[in-house]
Amino acid sequence: MARASSCSVAVIGGGPAGLMAAETLARSGVSVTVYDRMPSLARKFLLAGRGGLNLTHSEELEQFLARYGNARERLRPAIEAFPPSAVREWCEGLGETTFVGSSGRVFPVAMKASPLLRAWLSRLIAAGVTIRNRWQWTGWDGEGRLTFETPAGERRIEADATLLALGGASWPRLGSTGDWVPVLDGAGVAVAPLAAANCGFLIAWSDHFRGHFEGQPLKRIAAGFEGASVRGEALITAEGIEGGAVYALSAKLRDAIARDGTAVLLLDLRPDMTTEALAARLGKPRAKQSLATFLRKAAGMSAVEIGLLHETAAQRLTETPPEEIARLIKAVPLRLTAAAPIARAISTAGGVKWDDVDDRLMLHRRPGVFVAGEMLDWEAPTGGYLLQACLATGAQAGRGIVEWLG
């Protein structure tokens, strides 16, 4: 095998996983070219940073790893080798100071992805990394060369090793379309079906409710399903519901719908009050007040929350006893019929199965081809866990390529 410093590596996919692999390889003296189908790199990374770039999370490592569910032990080597503290050091090495928010999430002080990405790309280019935009990977030819569709037509490239970091299938307009799945299927690689993760869900709202409350937020609530409860916020959409409290339960909800056809999500609209305390407030005479005015004054209910009660009550709310209204406020049942389309999901579940890669993240069926990021079969909630695993697996694959090249 040739020395790593005399080899060339093709990194296909210019998101966080691919760029971290490219950086790891360049530091080892490997000649690296990053190929990306889009006119510019890391478009989903930039979108994620619009509301404040959540890099990672500050919680204790074992609790952190538990967020990855069944993939926890598979991701452990990558995250232990490149933990949240290393992500912060890496970010600060690019000139972006970080801080820990009140929720434990870690952000750059600038709260944006664009300054970090500019500094990162400058460092990669200075290290000799070549970038090819508008190069769409289509697979391999009969001689094992990489094939691409480019503005100049089809191109065939030879590389000593290849990293695939093409993402999942969420936000396809930003470059992650999932069209790599049939290519790897054709190469005999086992791929778990891609599915929406950190996603909203569909609900058959009445026309009245949809017309009055589409786009309205639900604040300081708790969402519950199968014994799990998550505090946060949600948003009523024309088709259903989305938001952080829902995203945190999306894996359980998605799997339940696949199993049973529907799932009932319970919303606690007053998680800081007991049912008894609510019933006591609602049991007081309302005199000449309308029910809406009474609920607003007695329980602090917003218009959308009152609308939800009308939408889900078993009988007319004006005929419902105070105790039952209190119970409904503490457990509003929302019947979910399906996950929102994967194109609108924050991330993707499914991907290349772990048994089809070795400890270096190299495909067993395709020696010299490595996989990182969301292409692998894992999912995690929002909160920094998504980006952390992409960066960590990119670094792991980069180290694995260097080792494999010798």
Side-chain angles (χ1 to χ4, degrees):
M1 189 72 68
R3 289 170 56 92
S5 60
S6 65
C7 294
S8 65
V9 175
V11 172
I12 303 177
L19 295 181
M20 183 54 72
E23 180 174 344
T24 304
L25 290 160
R27 283 201 305 264
S28 297
V30 178
S31 175
V32 184
T33 301
V34 176
Y35 300 92
D36 195 273
R37 71 192 304 163
M38 302 301 288
S40 59
L41 301 183
R43 290 194 166 195
K44 190 175 177 184
F45 178 70
L46 287 173
L47 179 69
R50 285 186 181 176
L53 181 63
N54 188 187
L55 292 165
T56 185
H57 203 286
S58 62
E59 67 189 352
E60 186 271 330
L61 190 59
E62 285 304 314
Q63 185 178 357
F64 189 101
L65 287 166
R67 306 295 185 182
Y68 297 98
N70 294 334
R72 168 181 178 168
E73 294 307 316
R74 297 289 195 170
L75 287 168
R76 179 185 292 274
I79 293 175
E80 286 184 339
F82 195 75
S85 59
V87 171
R88 297 187 69 181
E89 291 172 7
W90 165 79
C91 184
E92 291 173 3
L94 288 168
E96 296 296 320
T97 305
T98 63
F99 73 97
V100 179
S102 58
S103 64
R105 299 182 180 198
V106 176
F107 301 89
V109 170
M111 293 295 286
K112 295 179 180 179
S114 50
L116 181 63
L117 181 60
R118 282 195 298 269
W120 195 5
L121 293 178
S122 294
R123 184 157 77 182
L124 290 174
I125 292 169
V129 174
T130 301
I131 295 172
R132 300 276 187 242
N133 293 114
R134 295 188 175 91
W135 282 54
Q136 180 177 342
W137 179 64
T138 55
W140 295 275
D141 67 10
E143 299 178 17
R145 293 174 297 185
L146 298 164
T147 58
F148 294 88
E149 288 293 337
T150 79
E154 186 183 52
R155 297 291 299 273
R156 298 169 188 266
I157 301 297
E158 292 185 358
D160 296 297
T162 300
L163 171 70
L164 301 178
L166 290 158
S170 62
W171 291 93
R173 66 182 179 83
L174 301 179
S176 297
T177 64
D179 58 2
W180 52 265
V181 173
V183 178
L184 293 191
D185 276 340
V189 178
V191 179
L194 301 184
N198 290 296
C199 58
F201 289 85
L202 307 186
I203 300 171
W205 299 126
S206 67
D207 291 340
H208 178 272
F209 182 82
R210 181 187 301 107
H212 282 77
F213 300 111
E214 176 188 354
Q216 293 296 306
L218 297 167
K219 298 182 178 181
R220 295 180 295 279
I221 64 168
F225 183 71
E226 292 185 344
S229 180
V230 178
R231 291 200 180 205
E233 299 185 354
L235 181 74
I236 301 298
T237 68
E239 297 84 13
I241 191 168
E242 60 183 39
V246 179
Y247 300 155
L249 297 171
S250 61
K252 286 178 175 289
L253 292 167
R254 183 192 65 231
D255 294 346
I257 292 171
R259 181 184 68 240
D260 304 324
T262 63
V264 176
L265 175 69
L266 299 177
L267 296 188
D268 183 347
L269 302 180
R270 289 295 175 272
D272 293 320
M273 295 184 67
T274 65
T275 305
E276 293 72 22
L278 272 171
R281 290 191 180 193
L282 299 178
K284 296 177 180 179
R286 62 182 173 100
K288 295 182 179 181
Q289 297 179 93
S290 68
L291 179 59
T293 299
F294 179 67
L295 289 171
R296 178 172 56 82
K297 291 182 176 180
M301 306 290 289
S302 66
V304 64
E305 291 173 332
I306 295 170
L308 272 178
L309 300 184
H310 282 291
E311 183 79 357
T312 57
Q315 60 186 16
R316 289 174 60 89
L317 207 59
T318 53
E319 301 170 359
T320 304
E323 297 81 4
E324 290 186 25
I325 295 178
R327 286 193 289 271
L328 182 60
I329 291 172
K330 294 291 290 180
V332 178
L334 301 181
R335 185 167 296 279
L336 314 181
T337 59
I342 191 170
R344 289 164 44 193
I346 290 177
S347 59
T348 305
V352 174
K353 294 186 176 181
W354 289 98
D355 287 345
D356 269 39
V357 296
D358 64 14
D359 292 341
R360 298 169 295 192
L361 302 183
M362 184 172 72
L363 293 172
H364 293 301
R365 292 182 175 272
R366 200 92 194 188
V369 178
F370 296 72
V371 181
E374 272 194 83
M375 284 184 70
L376 291 163
D377 185 15
W378 60 273
E379 64 178 305
T382 58
Y385 310 103
L386 298 168
L387 185 54
Q388 172 72 53
C390 286
L391 294 170
T393 55
Q396 181 183 15
R399 294 189 302 270
I401 292 171
V402 171
E403 178 186 334
W404 186 76
L405 291 173

